[in-house]
Amino acid sequence: MNWTTPLERKFGRFAITGLLRYVAILNAAAFIMYKYDSRLFHLIDLDVAAVEHGEIWRLATYIFIPRITSLLPLPDWFNAAMWTYFLWWVGDSLEAVWGAFRLNLFYLIGMLGTTIAAFFFGHSFSNIMLNSSVFFAFARYYPDVVIYFAYVLPVKVRWMAWVSGLGLLIGIVLNPTAAYVSAVLVALGNYLLFFWQQIWQEAGHRAAVSQRRLNFQRAVARGDDSLHRCEVCNRTENSDPDLEFRVAADGHEYCVDHLPGKST
């Protein structure tokens, strides 16, 4: 059972359907207001000092600051429009997979993580980390969807996610302080909380595949054409055609008679 299931049973009725649609709309509204007064973003960002002086609205309003920059020299209204559409689309896509409650929970935890990081390290934080975590979650479920990098180059979402992750790593390299590294981890805590089991399982699967490939290469080197070999008794499918084999958690292959943990 997913750890969010009991929470959804108890609090699911409070979930906001289409949450990121509302966030996207308020991003658009904030941009329109910004065009009338360019000081707006400085009045709603997550400024720790300002919050400590009573401007508590900043704890929520920073998520409404849209991304208005791009790699191309395009009008900021165009970038804001594209960001609003993208946020709406990603939110709908994640809600289709998770449902409203899980998306609400994911976003709320991301906000809390960003706020904790800001107050713990005592400086202003943007919504970049929070938006990155949403995009990484989207890439988990829709890795082969094609988006247009800089609006012109078609790229699969999986590669865009890797590029974004690489950007975070470069930031760590350029600013390798414990504060920055910890801030990245805390701000992306929602992603780690929701996907650590999948990440762990995938790592174990890759290790098992690598071990099987290594075993096969060793078998070829010694002139053994068997594909399976028990680590304990060395029996293969050639020596015992009816024998079944399994890959254990340690990445090694065993016959069913010698699986680790099997009672004899």
Side-chain angles (χ1 to χ4, degrees):
M1 180 175 65
N2 189 289
W3 64 271
T4 63
T5 301
L7 293 176
E8 184 170 12
R9 289 172 179 167
K10 190 172 183 179
F11 303 108
R13 64 184 182 277
F14 300 113
I16 300 173
T17 301
L19 173 65
L20 290 190
R21 289 188 176 189
Y22 296 116
V23 175
I25 290 171
L26 289 170
N27 271 243
F31 174 75
I32 293 172
M33 295 173 65
Y34 162 80
K35 296 302 290 184
Y36 281 99
D37 188 344
S38 60
R39 297 173 299 173
L40 174 69
F41 290 171
H42 297 295
L43 296 176
I44 64 175
D45 64 354
L46 184 54
D47 187 319
V48 174
V51 173
E52 291 176 342
H53 282 82
E55 298 180 9
I56 60 175
W57 63 83
R58 295 174 182 268
L59 295 175
T61 56
Y62 76 94
I63 68 174
F64 305 136
I65 299 177
R67 298 176 66 175
I68 58 175
T69 58
S70 73
L71 298 177
L72 299 178
L74 296 170
D76 54 6
W77 63 264
F78 180 82
N79 293 324
M82 290 297 99
W83 170 247
T84 300
Y85 168 75
F86 182 74
L87 190 59
W88 184 304
W89 173 55
V90 168
D92 281 359
S93 300
L94 282 175
E95 191 166 314
V97 176
W98 273 339
F101 177 79
R102 284 180 171 83
L103 179 58
N104 280 219
L105 184 62
F106 182 85
Y107 201 75
L108 177 61
I109 293 174
M111 288 182 63
L112 290 175
T114 301
T115 303
I116 290 171
F119 275 85
F120 187 81
F121 298 109
H123 56 78
S124 298
F125 264 47
S126 72
N127 57 22
I128 291 177
M129 295 293 183
L130 175 59
N131 292 330
S132 294
S133 70
V134 172
F135 180 65
F136 291 154
F138 175 76
R140 271 271 159 187
Y141 292 110
Y142 302 95
D144 294 321
V145 169
V146 173
I147 59 178
Y148 287 84
F149 179 69
Y151 308 124
V152 293
L153 181 64
V155 181
K156 286 187 176 182
V157 166
R158 70 169 77 240
W159 301 118
M160 286 295 297
W162 278 109
V163 170
S164 297
L166 180 61
L168 293 178
L169 290 177
I170 291 175
I172 291 174
V173 171
L174 296 178
N175 185 22
T177 62
Y180 181 82
V181 175
S182 300
V184 171
L185 293 178
V186 172
L188 295 177
N190 56 345
Y191 180 81
L192 298 176
L193 184 61
F194 271 67
F195 293 105
W196 72 268
Q197 289 182 316
Q198 292 183 30
I199 295 172
W200 181 265
Q201 291 170 355
E202 289 170 1
H205 176 70
R206 285 192 293 269
V209 170
S210 297
Q211 184 62 48
R212 293 179 66 179
R213 184 180 296 113
L214 179 60
N215 292 341
F216 177 74
Q217 292 171 347
R218 288 173 177 172
V220 171
R222 62 175 176 258
D224 183 357
D225 61 352
S226 61
L227 295 176
H228 306 285
R229 177 179 294 273
C230 177
E231 286 287 323
V232 176
C233 64
N234 284 321
R235 286 184 293 175
T236 70
E237 77 276 12
N238 292 334
S239 62
D240 191 340
D242 296 325
L243 194 61
E244 295 183 9
F245 298 85
R246 300 287 187 274
V247 177
D250 60 5
H252 295 291
E253 195 168 23
Y254 300 87
C255 68
V256 293
D257 296 331
H258 296 106
L259 279 172
K262 181 180 175 62
S263 59
T264 57

